[in-house]
Amino acid sequence: MRKKDLAQAHTASTAQAHPAAHEAPAHEDTSTGLNTRKLLMWTFLASDVMFFGSLIAAYLIYRNQSLVGPYPPEVLDIPITSISTFVLLMSSLSMVLALHYIKAGESRTGRLWILATAALGSVFLCFQVYEFNAFVHEGLTPRTNLFGTTFFTLTGFHGAHVTFGVAWLLAMAIVATPGRRERMGLLLGVGGFYTAAVGALAIFAGSIPPLDNAVGLVMFLAGSVIAIAGSYNLITADKAQKTPISSLDLEISGLYWHFVDIVWIVIFTVIYLISASDPLPVGAALHGG
Amino acid sequence: MSSNTVAISIPRLIPRPTERHWGIWSWITTVDHKRIGTLYGVTAFLWFLVGGVEALVMRWQLAMPESEAITPEVYNQLFTMHGTTMVFLVIMPLGAAFFNWLIPLQLGARDVAFPRLNAFSYWTFLFGGILLNVSWLVGGAPDAGWFGYSPLTANAYSLGDGVTYWILGLQVLGVASLAAAFNFIVTIFNMRAPGMTMFKMPLFTWMTLVTSVLLVAAMPVITVALIELQFDRLFGMNFYNTAKGGDPILWQHMFWLFGHPEVYILILPAMGIVSEVLPTFSKKPLYGYPFVVFSGITIGFLGWFVWSHHMFTVGLGPAANTAFTISTMLIAVPTGVKIFNWLATIWKGHITLNTPMLFSLGFIAMFTIGGLSGVTHASPPTDAQQQDTYYIVAHFHYVLFGGAMFGIFSGIYYWWPKMTGHFLNERFGKVHFFLMLIGFNLTFAPMHWIGLDGMPRRVYTYAEGMGWDDANLAATAGAFLIALSVLIFMINVLYSRLKKEKAAADPWDARTLEWTIPSPPPEHNFDQIPVVKHRDDFWYKKHPELLHEEGHDTAKPLGVPHGAQADGHHSEGGYGAAAHAPAGHGGAGVHLPGLSYYPIIISIGLALAFGGLVSTIVLSAIGGAIMVWGLLGWAFEPATEPAPGAHH
Amino acid sequence: MSAIAKLWNAIFFHRGNGWFDLPRTHQTEALPPHEGPFGPMKAKTASWLTRITYGGRHATPGFYVAVAIILTILTLVEVWLFTVTSLGALFVPLLLFLSVVKFVMVIGFFMHLRFDPKGFTYIFAAGMGLGVTVFLVLLTLFSKLSG
Ligand SMILES: [Cu+2]
């Protein structure tokens, strides 16, 4: 019975800390007291552990088994990947802040953090596109050797998870934006952002065929201006406006998002830092060194 | 669930279906776990006939030495598809049919936790099975065995698209299994009736939980293995390409890492069924309930560390072989515990020898034979003699047919009155059982002999004078006996539909909650959610005098959630009006989840998206678009429509 | 009672409760001061740890930012370790340790396992435990852990 008292005390203390109406009850009316949808998401994540575990295991089993180059130390770019890792880490912070503010009823701030999360996730994806593109230019494709096969498969499926997460967050942002003026801001902000992102990619990757540097620069600048203009509507939105978003929905998408982040924590260590320190096979010369 | 969500007025993509109760649309849009269970059962039985015909053709070919009835190519396709069909399209979904029908009823719930996800599982299973079998029509079925060993599956050795269909079909089926498994785990954890603690759950529910946990952990592994193979075949990657350093042994590891837990995914539901049938027809509680539960859990855990016993002849080295020998022999212990518990359950019971009981007894006998022959190839030197012979074929058919299928037939005869409201005929049933028992043993017992005598499996014919002729002829005769027994089962079903011998709510004097409600159950299952005090609560409700005698724990129910009155209607004996109320009356106030088109829409999109990978990418794009549409529609459609007139 | 038994009890037990049994929340009755091997230190440390990690309560934005800063510092340490060439056999274990710390911080604080009911932790831990064990066995079979 002591457990039950604790649970009740817990409920009471949370209610005190957050008087906002958006707070989900700490003790749900289910057999376990766990929220049914959160339980589903955690079960899914436990299962996804086996999915990524299998992919990482395949990568490790084929580590140092490639018969021909390019080998990991020749192509992996640790400074660039460190930045993209930091970006994904920051997206986890903005996700948890979004949930905090939506729960607290501050929907305007919460919505901005949701969008920040989607934006940071998209920047991470841009880094991935840039990286894949660079690897192909250095002669590493999924067919080249075992490193290419396992690397592109593993990081590609991680990227697919991020992409799905971004789409999910954008859908949440749309739902969280009821007003006309704010919806316009959202449209401009998101549209401008992706225009700028494609422009930036065209400049840095330098090989998106129809886009040359000049077009890329124009897209980047114009997109940025539109995005800032759209964001203005969102930043100055009515603070008191109610958002028809459930904190539970956001919490569940957040669980997914953080999971994708922890998978990357493992990938960054195991694939990037460790593999980039692997010894080169005897006789292999560094590419373009 | 929290009701603080403000209703959003998102435009519906298509109007929500509302018409209930008849027509094909009511089946397409249903989210009722009982109807979905029926769909699973009927579909899986049709696949059972397909897989059975494949087996008969193979037996026809093998009846005589040097027979020329079919070509080796067709024979390869037949044994591949027979195995794949029976595992993924028959035994697994038949298990799912029982999960769907029984889990909410045994838990005292009105439906599963996620009814639309449940419908999605079924439709995805259906279209996955169709995708797999489309290969027959477009240039040849898969022909690399149900285990798809590399490099047999490489483009160089498997011409045509058969193996690609196999990869894609299994991936779609994997999605269906995963979705169902998530659903049942959450349902069993979260939707138990007040007072039903984990150790008051029926055994079948426990085994469903263990099976679902195994599925959730095992399906991702085979999915990754299939993805790797698919990338090799479609995009020229190198996972299993030895020319680039790839290792075919990795496939074997990945496949059996999934494959051995899969064996328990196939058998545990049958064990659960038998654990319900035996106590009912022995009029005794299950002997050593906690032992049976814990041995189920132990099997589920240990099952993860035995996979390399399928690879003793690969040459992993003495250390690995020894380790896997020990773990394999260890896992026989919890299995043996279960068998002894079943025997102790019927020991000195008041036994009713009707058809469900006969099938359960048949299960124990046949499964024990299969289990014992399995222990013989836990030893690497013995296994080296048995590997790839008919001895192995005999072993796993004793486990999967004599075990899983006998258990499933036992469940069909046992729960048929509950599901349909009518009995199956006993006389037909007994003929069915004995014909199947005799036919089964005539088919597979001789395979032990010819297997040890060296007859290899997966060969389309054999030479005369090897001493294998009589045994093969007997096996073929047995196979046709099995076919006859299945025909009698179908006649029995037809007879039951025509004769309509009415079944009461509790025709067997059974023990679990599903028998407290009318047969067939009303759409909302329970008029009032029951409150549970004991394991086999219904039994002690009917026979309170046995409570003390059988030494049952009479402590107060634990963990009763808020709002549930611990006594209420319960004290009157029986479950209130529930068992007597005419269907459709008692549940007027019950709010059921709404019908939905989106599960089938997403499933169609998924199957098209996968199917496009082997035909044209345009199809994938269309499938993807349909999926996105379905997902959006699903997301913005509330699971349960707000009651008319209710405002926020 | 022999002197050794007395010492044993003084070190490890207090009224049958092991000294090393960390309290669950900071509200739990503190152990009596100036008893046991570390005096009041242990109880104080545990209570402080519970408080700063918001055990059983919801955290504030400031706390989340602090966690993110620590995660960033750990990532920087990882990248720095990568540039250090003299670590030898220590390199891989150090990196794995750091990534486990980051992993636990994210699931604990960002994914709220620290604040939510324990059921979610058990489910995820079961999946992680099974996955890690199974794939370590697989890697062992490929002799990937010895060299
Ligand atoms: Cu096995």
Side-chain angles (χ1 to χ4, degrees), chain B residues 256 259-261 263-264 303 306-310 328:
Chain B
W256 290 116
H260 195 87
V263 171
Y264 294 111
V306 298
W307 80 86
S308 287
H309 64 210
H310 297 267
T328 304

Side-chain angles (χ1 to χ4, degrees), chain A residues 31-32 34 47 62 143 149, chain B residues 190 192 216 235 238-239 247:
Chain A
S31 311
T32 52
L34 306 176
S47 168
Y62 285 151
R143 300 178 185 199
T149 295
Chain B
N190 256 2
R192 284 168 280 137
V216 156
F235 310 131
N238 310 311
F239 283 104
D247 189 351

Side-chain angles (χ1 to χ4, degrees), chain A residues 48 128 287 289:
Chain A
D48 226 20
Q128 197 165 34
H287 276 237

Side-chain angles (χ1 to χ4, degrees), chain B residues 613-629:
Chain B
L613 291 176
V614 69
S615 48
T616 158
I617 206 73
V618 178
L619 202 60
S620 289
I622 295 172
I626 294 176
M627 264 175 80
V628 172
W629 171 44

